[in-house]
Amino acid sequence: MRVVIGSVEGLRFTYAVHPLPAGRYGFRRWRFEVWHGSALVASGWRVSERDATRAIERLASDRARRMFGLGAAERAATTKGFLTGAAVRVDDGAVAFHLVPRALESAGAPALA
């Protein structure tokens, strides 16, 4: 028996990505944060902006799945990532949600459809 779970409207995570100053070894790093409401879900850093957006997408998807009591996602080898500063809709099969930059969220941008 296969159970299909639909998406819940309004499930939204906010994110922030910004470059860190060059470290001890001279390479750039990108710091990222994923928020659900006022709660920090995850944070970290990656060596490229693209890797940081991939991590945001993966971590938000994992959190959304745990919110509904679902197991870990069976992922493809690569995730697409997205452009920093974009509001995107993510659909990983069992759950769907929006990723919105924190700067847009705090500026009072209109809700996504």
Side-chain angles (χ1 to χ4, degrees):
M1 179 175 159
R2 182 176 179 203
V3 177
V4 177
I5 298 173
S7 67
V8 174
E9 291 299 321
L11 183 55
R12 174 189 300 217
F13 294 95
T14 56
Y15 71 91
V17 177
H18 57 273
L20 293 173
R24 183 170 157 182
Y25 298 107
F27 68 91
R28 291 195 67 123
R29 298 167 294 158
W30 294 84
R31 171 131 175 102
F32 67 87
E33 299 172 350
V34 181
W35 295 78
H36 183 240
S38 62
L40 179 64
V41 173
S43 65
W45 62 270
R46 298 289 188 267
V47 295
S48 74
E49 187 176 14
R50 184 176 180 196
D51 287 342
T53 59
R54 286 179 180 172
I56 289 169
E57 188 176 346
R58 181 183 55 81
L59 292 167
S61 178
D62 289 346
R63 177 61 161 220
R65 286 176 159 276
R66 276 189 275 139
M67 289 172 65
F68 293 106
L70 301 172
E74 294 293 329
R75 279 186 226 308
T78 61
T79 58
K80 297 175 189 170
F82 53 90
L83 294 177
T84 302
V88 296
R89 183 174 190 275
V90 178
D91 184 357
D92 80 348
V95 294
F97 55 90
H98 289 102
L99 284 171
V100 180
R102 283 189 67 80
L104 284 180
E105 187 76 15
S106 63
L112 294 172

